Amino acid sequence: MTNARELYERTVAELAPAAAHNRLVELVEAGTAPVEALRRIAGEEYRIIHSDRRSFALIAARHADSSPTSAAFFLGLAEGEGQALDLLTPFATAVGLPPADLAAYRPRPAAQTYPHYLAWLSQNGRLGETVLALLANFGFWGGYCARLAKALPVHYGLSAEATAFFRYFATLPPDFEPTALGLLQLALDEGESAEDARHAAVMMQAYEASFWAALL
């Protein structure tokens, strides 16, 4: 029987070497990233957050009858996206993308592959695939956000309010990992494929990398 934590740790170890290199984050840390790239972060995230909030709500509805814990978990993620959206506006405004321009921003196709895949998972993915993909990815995403939260005030003069969006994602809620691992173990115990779940995580991280590359 596959152990959820062992599968998670193996998957993260497999993805970590490539995920360690993020060109845009490195440029921000050096103070050489163009401000236009920061505007693109805001504009793309505006579209991503709206999409992900709906995806999480749909996943919760799909699993409401079979797994109340899963439904509550994904509804919590949907609510979290709403909070993130409120925090995004000060960042966008600080880098020159006020609310009207933020709403009018036209996304780059390659930057939107992540939410498109999550939307696909919300309709077609099994519980184990979805949970492991998010569990592995959120750690890398949170690491990027922590680095940006530290570098943006130093090199771009952004205030605490303007960087609150990144601090919000830099640390996962204390119950996120144990709850996600519990759901992953439930899925594995019910016969879902560990390899399918691992592959979903690989796909998700590739789409994460596509997002960052598309901003430059």
Side-chain angles (χ1 to χ4, degrees):
M1 183 178 296
T2 304
N3 179 274
R5 178 168 289 280
E6 291 178 358
L7 175 61
Y8 166 52
E9 291 177 350
R10 288 200 309 270
T11 302
V12 169
E14 175 186 352
L15 297 172
H21 302 287
N22 184 315
R23 179 61 176 158
L24 178 54
V25 173
E26 292 164 1
L27 290 174
V28 173
E29 289 176 321
T32 57
V35 174
E36 181 58 34
L38 303 182
R39 294 191 190 105
R40 291 188 194 110
I41 293 177
E44 300 294 344
E45 280 297 324
Y46 182 78
R47 178 68 67 92
I48 289 170
I49 291 169
H50 278 91
S51 177
D52 286 358
R53 182 165 58 177
R54 296 186 185 96
S55 293
F56 290 138
L58 179 56
I59 297 168
R62 282 186 61 207
H63 296 287
D65 293 335
S66 59
S67 175
T69 299
S70 176
F73 175 75
F74 286 107
L75 282 177
L77 294 181
E79 292 172 2
E81 294 297 310
Q83 296 176 46
L85 190 60
D86 291 337
L87 297 174
L88 181 64
T89 301
F91 167 68
T93 300
V95 297
L97 204 63
D101 292 338
L102 183 63
Y105 177 88
R106 292 295 177 258
R108 296 182 166 194
Q112 294 294 315
T113 53
Y114 177 100
H116 287 185
Y117 184 56
L118 182 58
W120 185 90
L121 286 172
S122 74
Q123 299 179 67
N124 302 285
R126 303 188 73 183
L127 180 60
E129 293 173 318
T130 306
V131 170
L132 184 57
L134 292 170
L135 185 59
N137 174 256
F138 278 13
F140 297 122
W141 161 249
Y144 300 145
C145 287
R147 292 166 64 183
L148 290 172
K150 183 178 179 181
L152 286 168
V154 174
H155 297 293
Y156 296 86
L158 297 193
S159 68
E161 181 185 20
T163 55
F165 173 82
F166 300 102
R167 293 198 307 278
Y168 176 76
F169 282 114
T171 304
L172 291 173
D175 61 340
F176 176 84
E177 183 175 301
T179 302
L181 285 173
L183 292 173
L184 178 58
Q185 190 64 61
L186 174 66
L188 295 170
D189 290 348
E190 291 182 348
E192 292 191 26
S193 167
E195 178 54 30
D196 286 350
R198 187 203 67 82
H199 184 65
V202 171
M203 294 277 285
M204 185 69 89
Q205 193 56 32
Y207 294 135
E208 174 79 22
S210 175
F211 165 76
W212 292 103
L215 301 177
L216 289 171

